[in-house]
Amino acid sequence: MLRDILRRRVRDGGILRLIGKWLNAGVMDSGELFHPETGTPQGGVISPLLANIYLHAILDEWFAQVVQPRLGGRSFLIRFADDFVIVCASEKDARRVLDVLPRRLAKYGLTLNPEKTRLIRFRQPEATSQKADGNGTLDFLGFTHHWTRSRRGYWVIKRRTARKALHRSMRDITVWCRNHRHFALKAQHHMLCLKLRGHYGYYGIKGNYRLLVQLYEHTKQAWVKWLNRRGGKKHFGWKAFAQLEEALPLPLPRIAHASV
């Protein structure tokens, strides 16, 4: 089915044969070569591109050309790789889409993840409401989307780092500090700076500063904890870490996308 979709746009036989070789290349795992019977090669450089082509044809185009004209209200679909959100103005339309979507995907050999698939009410609260009661939160691409009051008192949608994403980042930094505690201090500092800057670059959006600070403080605590365990003796306390910070400061939290 994927090859049929490719032939709609690609006429060059050489390109199609090259893609066919990629699909049949197999996967190397622990020194052994495996040839999965279905799907694109796990970890293959061509796999993300082919997955996007496949989902564009069976989901994006289908939703725009078949589903939307049959719905009573406004709707739109946002997809990033295999994660997507469908927004409908009415609950009736949302339930209709949720009913037909599994059948559409099954026709092309795909299934919805039952743990990540849910129908939620995400409507703007009444102007007189004090809390966003009755509204669920939406996790998408590492962010939790939620309704809250702006400084002027209006209801607005804000985003914060999703709890699972934040805990995963904290855990990864802690594990890295533990496994590399015997590295040179400058090497450790360089890598931690890269990790923090990368996190700020993605999650540094307006309204999410508090959770950036939380990861920053966690990083300092994890670093001093495992520096304190080098050689099995506790000799690197907060006083020594303060001196280290003066020479090798970690990047402070910053908002990289103020307009989001």
Side-chain angles (χ1 to χ4, degrees), residues 21-23 49 86 97 139 144-145 148 152-153 166 201 208 217-218 234 238 247:
K21 291 179 180 179
W22 252 316
L23 292 173
L49 176 60
I86 296 176
V97 174
D139 285 355
T144 296
H145 300 66
T148 187
R152 296 184 179 182
L166 180 61
N208 196 38
E217 294 295 338
H218 173 84
K234 296 184 177 182
W238 282 105

Side-chain angles (χ1 to χ4, degrees), residues 19-30:
I19 292 175
K21 291 179 180 179
W22 252 316
L23 292 173
N24 296 318
V27 178
M28 186 71 74
D29 185 14
S30 301

